């Protein structure tokens, strides 16, 4: 049994949709951040699938750049969330309204 491009793209779309609705529906900033990472992984999976389908390495090279940027993004994002938690003692989006008003 071989897995074709359509199956990879379907999985990528499902992962992206889960991440998208997680960002829209969740209230915890850490969960929102994880959902954003899930959306990034879904896009990466689609790039790898297209690269494999076209028998080129362009998508794989692009994925290496994405993973490098994602690693830096994780460090910065988690640092911001930890700093926010230390200052406000919460990570709930509804209670983070400093720019409101």
């Amino acid at each position: 049994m071989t897995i074709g491009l359509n199956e990879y793209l379907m999985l990528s779309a499902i992962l992206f949709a889960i991440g998208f609705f997680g960002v829209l529906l969740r209230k915890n900033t850490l969960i929102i951040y994880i959902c954003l990472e899930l959306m990034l992984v879904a896009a990466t999976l689609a790039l790898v699938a297209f690269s494999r389908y076209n028998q080129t390495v362009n998508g794989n090279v692009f994925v290496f750049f994405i993973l490098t940027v994602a690693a830096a993004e994780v460090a910065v994002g988690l640092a911001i969330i930890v700093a926010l938690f230390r200052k406000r003692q919460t990570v709930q989006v509804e209670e983070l309204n400093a720019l409101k008003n």
Side-chain angles (χ1 to χ4, degrees):
M1 178 178 163
T2 60
I3 299 175
L5 178 64
N6 290 335
E7 288 81 12
Y8 283 117
L9 293 180
M10 184 64 74
L11 177 63
S12 175
I14 290 170
L15 288 175
F16 191 87
I18 290 171
F20 181 73
F21 286 114
V23 168
L24 290 180
L25 299 176
R26 302 302 290 221
K27 306 294 183 197
N28 188 330
T29 54
L30 194 58
I31 300 298
I32 292 171
Y33 187 71
I34 291 170
C35 290
L36 285 172
E37 290 295 321
L38 187 62
M39 292 169 64
L40 184 64
V41 168
T44 304
L45 178 65
L47 283 173
V48 169
F50 280 123
S51 176
R52 183 172 179 234
Y53 179 74
N54 291 329
Q55 300 293 325
T56 63
V57 294
N58 295 339
N60 292 338
V61 172
F62 196 61
V63 166
F64 283 126
F65 286 118
I66 288 174
L67 292 178
T68 304
V69 171
E73 175 203 342
V74 166
V76 172
L78 287 178
I80 290 172
I81 291 173
V82 168
L84 195 62
F85 179 75
R86 286 182 180 170
K87 185 170 177 85
R88 302 287 175 93
Q89 298 299 317
T90 185
V91 289
Q92 299 298 321
V93 173
E94 296 105 8
E95 298 174 19
L96 301 174
N97 55 6
L99 296 178
K100 208 173 193 179
N101 298 330

